[in-house]
Amino acid sequence: MDYQNRAGSKFGGGGVASTSATNADRRERLRKLALETIDLDKDPYFFKNHVGSFECRLCLTVHQNDGSYLAHTQGRKHQTNLARRAAKEQREGKKDEGAQTGLLAGVQVKKNLIRIGRPGYRITKVRDPISRQNGLLFQFQFPDIIPKTEPRVRFMSAYEQRIEEPDPNYQYFVVAGDPYETVAVKLQAREVDRREGKFWTWFDEDSKEFWAQVLFKTERDERFSAVPGLAPGRK
Ligand SMILES: [Zn+2]
């Protein structure tokens, strides 16, 4: 999906209304970023109904578009319901059902696919030289990834995963590339800066190396942001 080049591209690139980013542009950019990170096909609570709206089967809410749904998944209501669901399943002893080493809940496993182990990786601590934001640079090796596919990433809250006891101090950065095992890196539960150039992924088709950079918002920015998990972008 390429929303960025859609506006104006048919008309020779001159049709964009304004040079400054409007709120609509900002929402569209957030939506695009969220769509790149969150795989809706694998979200067990995401449901597209017959009239084309989107429903959260966990919270029984209706959303007009996928962007609105994605924002909802980062909100308090959804996160609270996830926590309740996790607690209920734990009481009922369902906690470990379907759990496999190296795989997290919400990541559906293609049953007939033979897994070939985990991708090689390197993680480097980074710091944005201008904003002084701390973060991590990930480098994964996927030499035998299925041709013409790229690794996918998403962030998962402590309550979404079922591998270990939910600890709200952590979140998980999940990387999937078939036929490798899906892996997750445990991160501190700080808000990720999803603005362009701060959070990015890149797959090198030739070397089959997958790169991702995650920068955390500064504590000051975290205090001022409205929606946890979805950065508000520049003001
Ligand atoms: Zn929900």
Side-chain angles (χ1 to χ4, degrees):
M1 251 175 285
D2 187 357
Y3 294 99
Q4 212 151 40
N5 294 327
R6 198 169 59 182
S9 60
K10 266 187 203 160
F11 311 102
V16 182
S18 161
T19 48
S20 67
T22 63
N23 275 343
D25 289 337
R26 188 167 66 77
R27 272 199 301 275
E28 190 63 15
R29 207 168 58 232
L30 281 176
R31 179 167 163 272
K32 178 173 171 267
L33 276 175
L35 282 173
E36 279 172 3
T37 16
I38 302 172
D39 191 347
L40 289 175
D41 293 336
K42 292 181 178 171
D43 182 338
Y45 305 120
F46 177 73
F47 177 67
K48 191 172 182 178
N49 67 23
H50 65 284
V51 292
S53 326
F54 301 91
E55 295 179 10
C56 176
R57 284 176 149 168
L58 181 64
C59 310
L60 307 178
T61 49
V62 180
H63 306 272
Q64 290 318 306
N65 54 57
D66 43 9
S68 154
Y69 173 83
L70 288 164
H72 161 78
T73 63
Q74 307 297 318
R76 195 171 58 184
K77 180 176 187 166
H78 189 80
Q79 292 294 326
T80 306
N81 281 334
L82 279 176
R84 282 200 192 123
R85 168 74 57 109
K88 181 168 173 276
E89 291 187 354
Q90 199 174 357
R91 273 200 310 276
E92 291 168 359
K94 283 185 191 161
K95 188 174 170 279
D96 293 321
E97 198 176 275
Q100 290 180 39
T101 316
L103 291 166
L104 290 166
V107 181
Q108 279 171 6
V109 185
K110 289 195 189 98
K111 293 263 157 49
N112 54 359
L113 197 64
I114 296 163
R115 296 281 158 189
I116 57 169
R118 297 173 186 195
Y121 69 93
R122 179 189 299 171
I123 303 174
T124 316
K125 280 187 183 174
V126 291
R127 187 170 218 197
D128 187 296
I130 295 159
S131 68
R132 315 296 288 162
Q133 288 168 278
N134 292 314
L136 297 164
L137 180 67
F138 302 92
Q139 185 187 351
F140 293 91
Q141 278 98 35
F142 285 97
D144 297 310
I145 193 167
I146 292 175
K148 304 215 194 310
T149 69
E150 289 190 9
R152 305 175 310 279
V153 298
R154 66 168 292 205
F155 292 92
M156 201 177 257
S157 75
Y159 296 112
E160 283 176 272
Q161 58 85 30
R162 313 266 176 89
I163 296 299
E164 51 190 20
E165 205 65 34
D167 180 343
N169 293 312
Y170 295 99
Q171 63 182 327
Y172 299 81
F173 181 60
V174 182
V175 182
D178 294 333
Y180 289 87
E181 277 178 49
T182 297
V183 291
V185 183
K186 196 170 177 177
L187 306 174
Q188 52 192 145
R190 288 184 54 196
E191 191 176 343
V192 171
D193 190 340
R194 295 189 186 234
R195 286 175 296 177
E196 237 172 300
K198 302 286 185 173
F199 171 66
W200 53 260
T201 66
W202 180 63
F203 185 55
D204 184 332
E205 291 282 353
D206 299 320
S207 67
K208 303 291 179 194
E209 272 182 338
F210 180 67
W211 297 76
Q213 178 183 272
V214 172
L215 289 182
F216 297 107
K217 292 187 124 191
T218 60
E219 281 175 25
R220 188 181 160 277
D221 281 343
E222 268 178 328
R223 253 179 278 139
F224 285 103
S225 72
V227 187
L230 280 182
R234 58 174 181 265
K235 290 260 156 65

